[in-house]
Amino acid sequence: MLPTTRSALRVTALGLVAGYVDAVGYVELHGIFSAAMTGNSTNFGISLAEQNWPKVAAIGTVLGLFFCGALAASLLRRSLRAYRHEWLWIAALLVLAQCLHWSRAAAMGARTETLLLTVAMAMQGEVLSRFSSVSVQTIVVTNNIVKFADNIVGFLWNAQRGKPAFSLAAALPGLGWAGCIAGAFLSVLMRQATSGYFLLPVPLLIGLCFLCPDDLQQD
């Protein structure tokens, strides 16, 4: 089992990556998320009811690519010797997106580069969802907020009975949530500072892979 401190670092880092990439995709695709498929699915249903076919096509493309990315990630996870190496594939997709961003000459380039972010987020969601025996999904924060709130109430409830114990493992959902917010915040600063803003998560993903030489387990 991985040490809880290492799990905390991973959850925070991956939450930051997801928040960052999702925010970049949201801006580039004018209100369509790269990672938050719950919001996209809701908007897809609304657009269908309103017969807003251009929006249906745009959101449907993102949903389809996310699903295909999850399928590809599942295949990779089963074939790679250490499926933490899937983080390198995610980093490669971000590098490719940046190259397209720098070289785009037509509108299609802008859409293609951003759609790669959707595939990358599907892969991240597939790689790892348990940290130190705690279920934490790093690309969807809704469940993390609920779990974190429940853990806080559990701590306060037990404290009244003389059993105060709030472990680092109980904070993991909150760290994923905080990482997501921090990533979205950083995306705004990076977009203002450089045209190479797709690349910020790349060193983090590479570091997560190579600084943790053990093969990750769904612990």
Side-chain angles (χ1 to χ4, degrees):
M1 179 180 293
L2 295 171
T4 307
T5 51
R6 183 178 296 177
S7 293
L9 290 173
R10 283 174 173 161
V11 167
T12 305
L14 290 172
L16 190 148
V17 170
Y20 185 95
V21 172
D22 205 21
V24 169
Y26 183 83
V27 173
E28 292 285 332
L29 289 174
H30 306 290
I32 301 176
F33 295 101
S34 297
M37 293 301 117
T38 301
N40 287 345
S41 297
T42 300
N43 286 330
F44 184 73
I46 293 172
S47 299
L48 277 174
E50 294 177 344
Q51 299 183 3
N52 186 344
W53 305 124
K55 195 169 183 179
V56 167
I59 301 176
T61 299
V62 170
L63 290 171
L65 279 173
F66 189 91
F67 184 71
C68 290
L71 292 175
S74 182
L75 288 172
L76 276 175
R77 180 169 56 83
R78 286 168 169 78
S79 61
L80 293 174
R81 182 173 56 86
Y83 61 84
R84 61 187 168 85
H85 293 160
E86 232 174 295
W87 287 334
L88 298 180
W89 286 76
I90 298 170
L93 285 172
L94 295 178
V95 171
L96 179 58
Q98 184 63 66
C99 291
L100 288 171
H101 179 70
W102 277 333
S103 64
R104 68 185 184 188
M108 186 60 190
R111 161 161 285 188
T112 302
E113 72 196 33
T114 309
L115 292 179
L116 290 175
L117 303 183
T118 297
V119 178
M121 288 298 92
M123 295 181 72
Q124 177 168 317
E126 174 65 26
V127 175
L128 192 65
S129 60
R130 290 192 68 82
F131 302 81
S132 297
S133 300
V134 179
S135 177
V136 180
Q137 177 54 261
T138 60
I139 65 169
V140 180
V141 299
T142 305
N143 287 340
N144 292 345
I145 295 171
V146 173
K147 289 177 182 178
F148 188 47
D150 182 60
N151 290 345
I152 291 174
V153 171
F155 165 73
L156 296 175
W157 188 272
N158 291 329
Q160 291 180 345
R161 290 159 174 75
K163 301 177 181 178
F166 193 81
S167 65
L168 183 56
L172 291 181
L175 291 174
W177 181 21
C180 180
I181 295 173
F185 179 86
L186 284 175
S187 74
V188 176
L189 301 182
M190 287 298 294
R191 286 177 63 87
Q192 295 172 348
T194 177
S195 63
Y197 51 84
F198 285 91
L199 296 177
L200 179 66
V202 172
L204 192 56
L205 289 164
I206 294 174
L208 281 170
C209 181
F210 289 109
L211 295 179
C212 302
D214 55 305
D215 189 12
L216 291 175
Q217 301 295 326
Q218 295 281 2
D219 59 2

